[in-house]
């Protein structure tokens, strides 16, 4: 289900904890699995649960609680827009409106060409640069409509 390289990465994460607490590596293991597959299917989460000696529901609870995990396929670029209070006060509503208009999709949707998925997230811990979003693993702060267009054009 996972490549040898991914399994080795998970084993390195497991080794950071006492053997009786290897389930503490669940978040790292889910990241590794998602990085390889692009999203977390039930089968993939079940595999992680087995690898960590956990019940599947325990893994599902983690994966559904945190917004960084994707439980459905996503586009080539995932845009995670912070709509928490700091970003909201500094204009995240305008960022969201601009993205929805430009991409023609809403939160939880992917563009028909499969390029972009738009996701609302609670906080990305970059309040000083609000409003902001994350595309894939890169943060973009102090967003304006022109800056958003520039960023997206660079990805297309």
């Amino acid at each position: 289900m996972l490549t040898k390289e991914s399994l080795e990465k998970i084993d390195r994460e497991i080794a950071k904890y006492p053997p009786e607490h290897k389930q503490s590596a669940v978040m790292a293991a889910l990241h590794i699995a998602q990085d390889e597959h692009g999203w977390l299917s039930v089968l993939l989460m079940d595999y992680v649960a087995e690898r960590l000696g956990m019940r599947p529901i325990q893994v599902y609870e983690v994966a559904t609680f945190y917004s960084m995990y994707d439980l459905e396929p996503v586009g080539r670029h995932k845009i995670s827009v912070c709509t928490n209070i700091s970003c909201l006060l500094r204009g995240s509503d305008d960022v969201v409106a601009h993205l929805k208009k430009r991409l023609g999709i809403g939160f939880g949707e992917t563009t028909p060409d499969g390029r972009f998925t738009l996701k609302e997230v609670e906080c990305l811990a970059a309040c000083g640069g609000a409003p902001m979003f994350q595309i894939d693993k890169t943060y973009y702060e102090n967003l304006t409509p022109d800056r958003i267009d520039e960023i997206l054009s660079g990805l297309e």
Side-chain angles (χ1 to χ4, degrees):
M1 181 134 269
L2 291 171
T3 63
K4 181 182 176 190
E5 180 181 302
S6 289
L7 292 174
E8 288 171 354
K9 287 179 184 177
I10 290 172
D11 288 343
R12 283 193 296 275
E13 293 297 324
I14 291 170
K16 295 177 181 179
Y17 303 97
E20 68 274 13
H21 295 291
K22 69 181 183 178
Q23 71 274 13
S24 297
V26 65
M27 291 185 71
L30 288 172
H31 274 294
I32 293 163
Q34 180 168 284
D35 283 348
E36 182 176 324
H37 286 269
W39 65 289
L40 298 171
S41 67
V42 170
L43 287 175
L44 191 53
M45 289 186 285
D46 289 350
Y47 183 79
V48 168
E50 183 179 328
R51 184 101 181 156
L52 298 176
M54 299 172 70
R55 295 189 330 261
I57 188 65
Q58 294 173 299
V59 174
Y60 306 159
E61 288 170 342
V62 173
T64 58
F65 181 79
Y66 293 100
S67 62
M68 69 272 247
Y69 300 117
D70 298 305
L71 306 180
E72 298 177 357
V74 295
R76 188 173 20 182
H77 300 289
K78 179 175 67 172
I79 305 171
S80 300
V81 184
C82 178
T83 58
N84 206 332
I85 190 69
S86 293
C87 285
L88 180 65
L89 291 173
R90 303 246 351 247
S92 67
D93 283 348
D94 295 334
V95 169
V96 170
H98 187 75
L99 284 167
K100 286 180 175 181
K101 182 178 179 185
R102 163 120 186 206
L103 300 175
I105 58 172
F107 285 131
E109 298 178 342
T110 300
T111 56
D113 62 4
R115 284 186 169 167
F116 299 104
T117 295
L118 189 57
K119 188 170 186 174
E120 180 178 25
V121 296
E122 193 58 30
C123 183
L124 291 168
C127 302
M132 61 86 60
F133 59 45
Q134 178 182 8
I135 299 181
D136 305 323
K137 294 185 180 189
T138 304
Y139 276 30
Y140 298 91
E141 301 179 16
N142 302 304
L143 296 172
T144 63
D146 288 340
R147 177 137 163 76
I148 292 167
D149 289 341
E150 179 184 314
I151 292 164
L152 294 181
S153 293
L155 296 172
E156 297 180 300

